[in-house]
Amino acid sequence: MWLKPEEVLLKNALKLWVTEKSNDYFVLQRRRGYGEDSGGLTGLLVGTLDTVLDSTAKVAPFRILHQTPDSQVYWNIACGASLEEISKHWDWLQQNIIRTLAVFDSGEDITSFVQGKIRGLIAEEGTSASDEEDPERFREAVLRFELLFGVPQREKLVTYFSCSYWRGRVPNQGWIYLSTNFLCFYSYMLGNEVKLVYPWDEVSRLERTSSVLLAESIRVCVRGEDHFFSMLLRLQQTYLIMQQLADYTIVRFFDKETFNAEHPLANPLHVTQRALEIHARNQSFRAFFRLPQEENLCEVYESFLWVPFSHVNTLGKICVSENYLCFASQDGSQCHLIVPLWEVFSVELPDRSSRALTVCLRGKRALRFSEVRDFERLAATIRRKCRTAGSPQHFISNPDEEGVMVGQSQAVSTEALMNVFHPHDAENLDPKMLKERMKEQSWQIHFAEYGRGTGMFCTKKTRDLIVRGVPETLRGELWMLFSGAVHDMTSHPGYYGRLLEECMGSSSLACDEIERDLHRSLPEHPAFQSDTGISALRRVLTAYAHRNPKIGYCQAMNILTSVLLLYAKEEEAFWLLVAVCERMLPDYFNRRIIGALVDQAVFEELIREHLTQLTEHMTDLSFFSSVSLSWFLTLFISVLPIESAVNVVDCFFYDGIKAILQLGLAVLDYNIDNLLCCHDDAEAVTVLNRFFDSVTNKDSPLPVTVQQASSATANDKSIQKVDISNLIKEAYEKYGDIRTEEVENMRKRNKLYVIQTLEDTTKQNVLRVVAQDVKFSAAQLDELYMLFKRQHFVSCYWSVCSPALQNHDPSLPYLDQYQLDQSQFSSLFNLLQPWTTHTHARSLARSAFRLLDENGDGLLNFKDFICGLDILYNKSFTEKLTFLFKLHLQPDSAEDGVIRKCPERGRAKVDLQEYLKQWQEDLQRREGNIKDLPRINQVQFIGLTKTLYGVFHGDEEEESLYRAVARVTSLLLRMEEVGRKLQESSPQKTPQSTPTSTAQPETSPTLPTSPETETLAEGEGGQPESPVSQQETAPSHSDITPTSTSRPSTPTSSPTGTSSPVLDTPTDTPSSPSTVRDGDWSFSFEQILASLLNEPSVVRFFERAIDTDSLIAHARKNQLKDAH
């Protein structure tokens, strides 16, 4: 075990130790008296001493010492009771530490690093137990995590490990903390502190790597920057947890179609390492055996299964879920089977000596398991679950119910369309039909040996029959079996009929899109030239859109469904579509086709690995991604004739996406010589199109009227024909070694990259549009966009299916994909506003939100946000004052912050006329004249004055700015009095610019002399005799009780001493009954602007350059803290 480093002064004290291995930095020693020389005198003496000594003081027979070439001091870092145990520690040091030490310049640095690493390993061994087993230690780690990284207490720490982080060529020994939303690292070594906090939603790459310097490490790419973590004691475990957390974030935030309140990890506050492991294990279990989403892995047993057709016992694992008993071999026989527990009627224990049990099934079948470690427990589990699984009748559709369903829907097809339009002719002696019958016989023999339906043994022979092609009469049955759709349909009797009843007569955007594409689905086939096929296709697609409104309907679903209807009954075709969309091709059929893009990235990776010659010729493989998109989306149905494409679908339902990837590689390999001669993409496309036209199915029994092979190529003898069976066989022979587990790992690894690539594309398009209207630099815009986007996620990190998640909709145009509601905006606005925070920050942010939310939907996109921020940062004094003036014209509303948006926004058709109209209105608003601004009433003006005091608070010129506001306020009030006197002197003529006054104040201020009055009436800069006389005059006006005029009446005229009360709401407000009614006096924006322009300190303050970069850095640093 690893030991806390202790100094050893004499390496061979008393010759008690013998060196077994050594290098420049470590020495492995064996204690004399153990091993080969234990019979010598010294060995006997040492052995006697160790025996006589107290047992607690006995010395381990093996140890590892650390040394440096320039030091005589040794450090004991590990010990072991056996050579095998100590050798594991030695090998780990050789693989992970030795090459790293060469980067250090001094022996002291090397020793310090080794000691830190060993201490970290010791601590990590202590944390190997779960937090439930050692809650105190984990609680301490949580406290350190919160203290070091400043995250809220709501953030759930999942686990932590000791590791090294590489900055350049120097490793930093520390701890990596993995939480629900963040990857964090902390190190403090040799006076150098390293602290990293990266949200999982910004990770674009996560993979295991190795290099000359690093034996093995984990590479994490965040915003284009690579980070390497190595020297992990449990590297694979750490990597899997990181992968699970990253995938959890992707599903929760970006791929919301599959995430809801019923998700096992819906609550981010309850995510633990164990919960992640269980969720990943259940996912793998369901994916391998193609079971419904409701099934979870309950128990696993290792055992042997007697395989009757081979007469051997095959080693494997028994997996038990709520309703199924499954077995998968582990000896390379590729044998697996699935048994529904309702098919089991008894469990027997025939031979306790061999720990065997026999599971008896209906239909006179039995499964014999042996060498089961806990066979009695397994037997009890199966018996218990058989009782709770329900009777077989519960899982079989009632014929009466089916008849009712057919009667209500009037036209549900109970036959595959191929049987309706091309019934099987048993008397046809055509050579193709004879070959078809031979295939049927082969499958009948297979059924007799391996079983039929659920409970059938699937082996290598099954795959061989699939590769040769499935008979037309068995295709629907086998598709249902291998896809797992049979389990879904059996466990949901009558579900399809109820869906049809619910969605019958309904109208939605998905229904409109379905109607548009109905006649584009296999239009050459007679089945879809009649109402029978079209109606069946409409019902299946509409029912699925009703079942899964998050997906609804997407293009390519019609093509796939039409092929399913040819060989399966209507209800079966529906469940096959469910299996494909929700299990076998996840995320394919959504607005961004993320799943297809992920598999394209996997395909590129496989091309680099298996077709190096093509990779060297075409450095940019994006061409193959664009060409192969239709291959993945339609399973080659759109590029191959239907009679050939169905053979590909056969393989897909048995082997999943692996079969499509293999076939894609085989297609490129077959055409590699022609592709290497191509000079551009157009030539390559032509080569591949010609190849697909040449693919035929020579064994297809379909009539010529149904077959889609190109007539041009059929008559052109110069084109070499390629049989689909031979092509598929070649694909399995050359690329069959690609494992399904490997493909799934590649999918997970590339999904992060694809998501972040799409996010980067969105960002680039948004910034390209916004950059034309603002004065921020490109780098600043990039940082502000990331802050805007992160604010959305921060508000969703710690809630269960937060409604704010809906503010991110990838189906919308780029500008509207990310939007903030009022609460999110307020938090970010307060972080970024360029002036000192004051007590009215919340109301100011609320007013700013209302002002910027021009369409009134309760949401702001990035353009709205950045245009408002640009005014505060980069615009002129007049534009900033205009913005503040408008803020206080906004009326308070009880519905502030209420989101008013269409639930299907983004899915509707784009109205170009509406976009042009909105664009024109934007231009008009920009060109708006300040003369068009409405007048500001007394309540609003008081609010504006308070805002100005708050903005100036804490500035170095605070006193002069306060005096300036007091002078302007007094000046405006005196101007209003002059206007009112003039109005009273000419009652027959009411000026349009001054509202009629029906109530006069009880007292009036002493008016200035006539010349001064004329000057004030003009709105120019006529100044009072002195600030003191002005302040003494202003409070006598009973209309004005705002702080700007009432506070200076204190003994001192300095605003500094009154800055605190200035911000308080006055008790005697203009809206109180004892004062003049609201609206009795008002000011125009021109009056306020003209008055403030005569105050150099105010103009200087607003024209002052703002340090944008430091404010962005401040916001980035405090964005998480603000979420506490």
Side-chain angles (χ1 to χ4, degrees):
M1 63 179 180
W2 300 108
L3 301 175
K4 182 179 179 181
E6 294 182 355
E7 188 174 329
V8 180
L9 295 179
L10 298 176
K11 182 176 68 171
N12 291 315
L14 301 177
K15 298 294 182 180
L16 299 181
W17 295 89
V18 178
T19 299
E20 294 285 329
K21 300 178 183 178
S22 66
N23 54 44
D24 291 342
Y25 302 105
F26 300 102
V27 180
L28 190 156
Q29 292 185 330
R30 172 178 54 83
R31 191 167 177 81
R32 289 189 183 277
Y34 298 88
E36 298 176 357
D37 61 350
S38 59
L41 181 61
T42 307
L44 290 173
L45 178 61
V46 174
T48 302
L49 287 173
D50 290 344
T51 304
V52 172
L53 290 174
D54 179 59
S55 59
T56 59
K58 285 184 178 180
V59 180
F62 297 92
R63 71 179 182 180
I64 297 177
L65 303 178
H66 164 62
Q67 64 168 352
T68 55
D70 57 352
S71 174
Q72 296 299 315
V73 178
Y74 293 78
W75 297 85
N76 190 11
I77 61 173
C79 68
S82 65
L83 180 61
E84 181 182 4
E85 180 186 352
I86 202 69
S87 294
K88 290 181 180 178
H89 289 39
W90 180 265
D91 293 341
W92 191 89
L93 292 170
Q94 292 287 105
Q95 295 171 8
N96 294 277
I97 299 292
I98 292 294
R99 285 182 288 183
T100 304
L101 300 182
V103 305
F104 292 98
D105 297 328
S106 68
E108 292 181 0
D109 292 346
I110 293 175
T111 299
S112 178
F113 175 79
V114 171
Q115 289 178 349
K117 185 65 193 174
I118 299 304
R119 290 191 182 97
L121 293 176
I122 294 171
E124 186 173 340
E125 285 182 338
T127 62
S128 58
S130 65
D131 54 319
E132 290 84 359
E133 296 174 2
D134 193 356
E136 193 61 36
R137 183 187 294 271
F138 194 80
R139 195 175 297 114
E140 291 175 3
V142 170
L143 292 175
R144 286 199 308 271
F145 171 67
E146 295 173 358
L147 180 65
L148 289 173
F149 305 106
V151 296
Q153 291 184 352
R154 294 172 294 171
E155 179 64 15
K156 175 68 175 176
L157 177 64
V158 176
T159 188
Y160 59 103
F161 298 97
S162 170
C163 72
S164 292
Y165 168 69
W166 288 81
R167 174 176 287 181
R169 294 174 56 86
V170 179
N172 294 271
Q173 176 61 34
W175 291 86
I176 186 171
Y177 295 83
L178 306 178
S179 69
T180 308
N181 298 296
F182 300 97
L183 181 156
C184 305
F185 175 83
Y186 183 81
S187 169
Y188 186 82
M189 186 176 174
L190 304 177
N192 180 32
E193 184 183 50
V194 178
K195 185 185 295 186
L196 305 176
V197 181
Y198 293 120
W200 291 113
D201 53 79
E202 292 184 11
V203 174
S204 59
R205 284 286 187 188
L206 182 63
E207 57 188 0
R208 292 181 59 173
T209 61
S210 59
S211 62
V212 176
L213 189 62
L214 297 175
E216 200 166 18
S217 62
I218 299 176
R219 173 197 171 204
V220 181
C221 183
V222 182
R223 298 183 66 181
E225 184 178 354
D226 287 334
H227 305 272
F228 293 91
F229 301 91
S230 66
M231 302 184 197
L232 287 145
L233 189 61
R234 300 175 183 84
L235 188 138
Q236 179 62 16
Q237 180 189 6
T238 307
Y239 174 70
L240 289 177
I241 294 174
M242 294 170 72
Q243 192 178 64
Q244 290 161 6
L245 286 169
D247 185 63
Y248 170 66
T249 299
I250 291 296
V251 173
R252 184 169 169 235
F253 290 145
F254 297 100
D255 188 20
K256 299 186 288 291
E257 284 84 357
T258 57
F259 194 87
N260 50 46
E262 286 74 36
H263 194 279
L265 301 175
N267 191 343
L269 304 181
H270 296 162
V271 174
T272 63
Q273 181 177 342
R274 180 171 176 77
L276 287 170
E277 291 171 351
I278 291 174
H279 180 63
R281 188 178 64 175
N282 289 334
Q283 279 187 317
S284 300
F285 168 68
R286 289 191 294 263
F288 183 84
F289 292 107
R290 311 274 173 80
L291 295 177
Q293 295 294 330
E294 299 81 17
E295 295 300 315
N296 294 302
L297 182 60
C298 299
E299 298 177 9
V300 180
Y301 300 86
E302 191 172 278
S303 73
F304 287 91
L305 171 65
W306 173 252
V307 185
F309 48 85
S310 301
H311 303 287
V312 295
N313 280 314
T314 181
L315 176 64
K317 287 187 176 180
I318 302 171
C319 302
V320 183
S321 69
E322 287 87 345
N323 297 297
Y324 294 90
L325 172 69
C326 308
F327 178 85
S329 65
Q330 293 180 296
D331 57 3
S333 62
Q334 299 178 9
C335 171
H336 69 272
L337 79 157
I338 305 167
V339 178
L341 288 175
W342 59 84
E343 294 288 340
V344 178
F345 69 87
S346 70
V347 180
E348 301 173 0
L349 303 176
D351 186 3
R352 292 182 176 272
S353 61
S354 62
R355 295 178 294 181
L357 74 158
T358 301
V359 179
C360 301
L361 309 177
R362 303 180 190 279
K364 299 181 179 180
R365 295 180 58 208
L367 302 173
R368 186 177 187 277
F369 299 97
S370 60
E371 299 301 329
V372 183
R373 177 172 297 179
D374 198 351
F375 66 101
E376 292 180 342
R377 179 186 172 189
L378 174 60
T381 299
I382 296 175
R383 288 168 183 156
R384 184 181 70 254
K385 289 185 176 294
C386 285
R387 290 192 295 268
T388 58
S391 63
Q393 288 78 12
H394 174 74
F395 294 90
I396 298 176
S397 299
N398 189 331
D400 295 335
E401 288 184 1
E402 186 175 354
V404 172
M405 180 191 74
V406 173
Q408 289 178 350
S409 58
Q410 298 298 324
V412 174
S413 175
T414 56
E415 284 290 333
L417 294 180
M418 195 64 78
N419 294 337
V420 175
F421 288 87
H422 307 288
H424 187 65
D425 187 1
E427 298 180 358
N428 191 342
L429 300 180
D430 182 84
K432 291 185 177 181
M433 287 303 301
L434 291 176
K435 198 160 187 176
E436 185 75 3
R437 291 179 188 175
M438 291 175 62
K439 287 184 181 179
E440 293 177 7
Q441 290 176 1
S442 298
W443 276 97
Q444 295 300 334
I445 295 171
H446 183 276
F447 292 149
E449 292 184 3
Y450 298 84
R452 184 168 186 173
T454 55
M456 181 179 76
F457 285 88
C458 295
T459 64
K460 289 181 179 179
K461 187 175 180 181
T462 311
R463 178 180 279 114
D464 293 339
L465 289 174
I466 291 287
V467 171
R468 287 165 53 189
V470 175
E472 298 281 320
T473 54
L474 297 175
R475 186 160 272 138
E477 175 188 344
L478 294 177
W479 283 1
M480 289 289 292
L481 178 64
F482 296 140
S483 67
V486 64
H487 306 306
D488 290 315
M489 188 174 75
T490 305
S491 57
H492 296 86
Y495 177 79
Y496 179 65
R498 292 193 296 272
L499 271 184
L500 289 180
E501 293 175 9
E502 292 173 6
C503 66
M504 187 178 298
S506 62
S507 178
S508 65
L509 181 61
C511 293
D512 295 340
E513 293 176 342
I514 290 170
E515 288 297 329
R516 181 189 62 200
D517 288 345
L518 283 177
H519 295 279
R520 304 177 186 176
S521 310
L522 300 184
E524 307 88 353
H525 199 285
F528 298 101
Q529 295 172 357
S530 70
D531 184 64
T532 303
I534 293 296
S535 298
L537 181 60
R538 178 187 294 112
R539 287 191 294 271
V540 172
L541 292 175
T542 305
Y544 185 78
H546 188 74
R547 165 190 166 87
N548 193 343
K550 290 184 178 180
I551 293 178
Y553 169 78
C554 293
Q555 286 188 342
M557 289 174 66
N558 60 319
I559 298 175
L560 177 60
T561 306
S562 59
V563 174
L564 299 178
L565 283 167
L566 289 178
Y567 294 98
K569 299 175 184 178
E570 187 174 318
E571 184 178 4
E572 294 175 342
F574 169 79
W575 287 111
L576 283 169
L577 183 63
V578 170
V580 172
C581 294
E582 299 176 11
R583 197 164 55 239
M584 302 187 72
L585 295 179
D587 306 323
Y588 262 61
F589 301 99
N590 54 33
R591 294 288 164 174
R592 296 199 291 179
I593 56 172
I594 292 173
L597 297 177
V598 169
D599 284 341
Q600 283 181 323
V602 173
F603 189 50
E604 282 188 28
E605 202 170 323
L606 292 173
I607 292 174
R608 292 189 182 92
E609 182 179 346
H610 294 277
L611 300 174
T612 54
Q613 189 178 0
L614 194 60
T615 305
E616 293 169 359
H617 178 71
M618 301 181 69
T619 54
D620 183 11
L621 298 180
S622 58
F623 160 74
F624 294 112
S625 295
S626 58
V627 170
S628 63
L629 181 60
S630 62
W631 304 357
F632 295 109
L633 281 174
T634 64
L635 307 179
F636 283 93
I637 295 172
S638 63
V639 294
L640 288 175
I642 184 63
E643 63 274 10
S644 300
V646 291
N647 286 37
V648 179
V649 179
D650 295 340
C651 299
F652 167 74
F653 278 126
Y654 189 83
D655 275 323
I657 194 61
K658 171 177 173 284
I660 305 300
L661 294 168
Q662 289 175 178
L663 184 60
L665 291 173
V667 168
L668 297 182
D669 186 34
Y670 193 94
N671 295 277
I672 192 168
D673 293 334
N674 293 331
L675 291 172
L676 292 175
C677 297
C678 295
H679 298 91
D680 54 35
D681 293 351
E683 289 185 29
V685 170
T686 303
V687 167
L688 292 175
N689 286 339
R690 285 181 179 175
F691 170 76
F692 287 128
D693 288 341
S694 69
V695 175
T696 62
N697 187 349
K698 62 183 181 181
D699 299 330
S700 175
L702 295 179
V704 179
T705 56
V706 175
Q707 296 190 21
Q708 295 179 343
S710 173
S711 57
T713 57
N715 299 326
D716 190 351
K717 297 184 179 181
S718 63
I719 298 179
Q720 183 180 2
K721 303 295 187 295
V722 180
D723 185 64
I724 187 63
S725 297
N726 294 334
L727 184 63
I728 292 175
K729 183 179 178 181
E730 184 178 345
Y732 273 90
E733 288 176 352
K734 287 189 174 182
Y735 309 107
D737 58 341
I738 299 174
R739 296 182 300 111
T740 302
E741 295 81 3
E742 180 185 352
V743 172
E744 289 303 318
N745 287 333
M746 294 168 72
R747 271 179 158 182
K748 291 177 182 178
R749 187 167 64 246
N750 284 285
K751 188 171 185 177
L752 292 172
Y753 174 73
V754 168
I755 289 288
Q756 294 301 337
T757 300
L758 292 172
E759 291 295 303
D760 287 343
T761 301
T762 299
K763 179 179 73 173
Q764 291 165 8
N765 282 280
V766 169
L767 297 187
R768 187 180 301 115
V769 173
V770 170
Q772 306 170 13
D773 301 324
V774 296
K775 296 181 180 180
F776 292 108
S777 66
Q780 290 169 348
L781 274 178
D782 187 276
E783 289 291 339
L784 288 168
Y785 180 87
M786 294 308 299
L787 286 171
F788 184 88
K789 176 180 169 181
R790 191 177 297 133
Q791 186 63 41
H792 162 75
F793 288 123
V794 165
S795 61
C796 305
Y797 278 156
W798 304 287
S799 58
V800 181
C801 296
S802 168
L805 283 171
Q806 303 307 315
N807 298 346
H808 170 225
D809 189 349
S811 66
L812 291 172
Y814 289 121
L815 272 175
D816 296 329
Q817 288 189 12
Y818 282 100
Q819 300 185 91
L820 300 184
D821 59 28
Q822 181 173 295
S823 174
Q824 295 168 320
F825 168 83
S826 297
S827 299
L828 185 57
F829 181 80
N830 290 332
L831 281 172
L832 285 169
Q833 64 152 321
W835 303 307
T836 306
T837 305
H838 50 85
T839 56
H840 296 86
R842 183 176 299 178
S843 60
L844 188 65
R846 187 166 60 248
S847 298
F849 182 85
R850 290 198 302 267
L851 177 62
L852 298 173
D853 184 21
E854 295 179 352
N855 61 358
D857 65 351
L859 294 171
L860 293 183
N861 61 29
F862 181 69
K863 184 178 181 181
D864 299 330
F865 172 78
I866 203 66
C867 287
L869 203 64
D870 185 59
I871 294 174
L872 302 181
Y873 277 57
N874 303 315
K875 297 298 183 179
S876 65
F877 165 70
T878 303
E879 290 171 298
K880 291 177 181 178
L881 186 62
T882 305
F883 183 81
L884 293 174
F885 184 85
K886 289 180 178 179
L887 289 186
H888 295 84
L889 292 176
Q890 299 294 313
D892 289 329
S893 172
E895 295 187 354
D896 279 350
V898 176
I899 298 175
R900 312 171 189 87
K901 58 184 179 180
C902 174
E904 288 195 356
R905 77 194 197 287
R907 296 178 179 270
K909 298 177 182 178
V910 177
D911 190 343
L912 295 179
Q913 296 291 338
E914 188 65 27
Y915 270 116
L916 290 174
K917 182 180 177 181
Q918 184 178 352
W919 178 63
Q920 188 175 8
E921 291 175 354
D922 289 342
L923 288 179
Q924 291 175 351
R925 276 195 295 269
R926 291 179 196 171
E927 297 172 358
N929 198 314
I930 59 175
K931 294 182 179 179
D932 299 329
L933 292 173
R935 298 174 67 86
I936 191 169
N937 63 34
Q938 70 180 64
V939 175
Q940 295 165 345
F941 179 73
I942 292 171
L944 176 60
T945 307
K946 291 180 179 179
T947 298
L948 289 175
Y949 274 109
V951 165
F952 299 149
H953 178 62
D955 190 80
E956 57 186 8
E957 297 184 24
E958 180 180 9
E959 183 172 349
S960 62
L961 289 168
Y962 280 5
R963 287 176 175 274
V965 174
R967 286 193 296 270
V968 169
T969 303
S970 179
L971 175 64
L972 290 171
L973 289 170
R974 294 170 67 186
M975 289 169 54
E976 176 64 20
E977 283 299 324
V978 171
R980 187 169 295 173
K981 292 291 185 181
L982 292 175
Q983 180 182 355
E984 291 175 355
S985 64
S986 54
Q988 73 280 3
K989 184 177 180 180
T990 303
Q992 296 297 324
S993 59
T994 306
T996 304
S997 177
T998 59
Q1000 298 296 332
E1002 296 177 2
T1003 59
S1004 298
T1006 303
L1007 294 177
T1009 58
S1010 180
E1012 186 180 3
T1013 304
E1014 293 176 1
T1015 307
L1016 292 173
E1018 293 173 1
E1020 298 297 327
Q1023 299 295 332
E1025 294 178 1
S1026 69
V1028 176
S1029 65
Q1030 185 184 39
Q1031 292 168 11
E1032 290 172 351
T1033 304
S1036 63
H1037 194 299
S1038 64
D1039 285 351
I1040 184 68
T1041 54
T1043 56
S1044 56
T1045 56
S1046 63
R1047 302 305 182 198
S1049 62
T1050 55
T1052 175
S1053 62
S1054 172
T1056 306
T1058 61
S1059 60
S1060 178
V1062 161
L1063 300 178
D1064 296 332
T1065 304
T1067 56
D1068 185 18
T1069 61
S1071 59
S1072 62
S1074 62
T1075 60
V1076 180
R1077 290 197 305 271
D1078 186 21
D1080 280 351
W1081 53 264
S1082 62
F1083 302 117
S1084 69
F1085 175 74
E1086 292 171 288
Q1087 290 175 306
I1088 297 174
L1089 175 63
S1091 301
L1092 286 174
L1093 281 174
N1094 285 324
E1095 298 294 339
S1097 59
V1098 175
V1099 176
R1100 193 164 52 248
F1101 175 86
F1102 283 106
E1103 292 286 359
R1104 187 186 304 161
I1106 293 173
D1107 188 353
T1108 304
D1109 294 330
S1110 63
L1111 283 172
I1112 291 175
H1114 167 78
R1116 188 169 58 243
K1117 181 180 179 181
N1118 294 280
Q1119 195 168 25
L1120 263 183
K1121 295 179 181 178
D1122 191 61
H1124 283 231

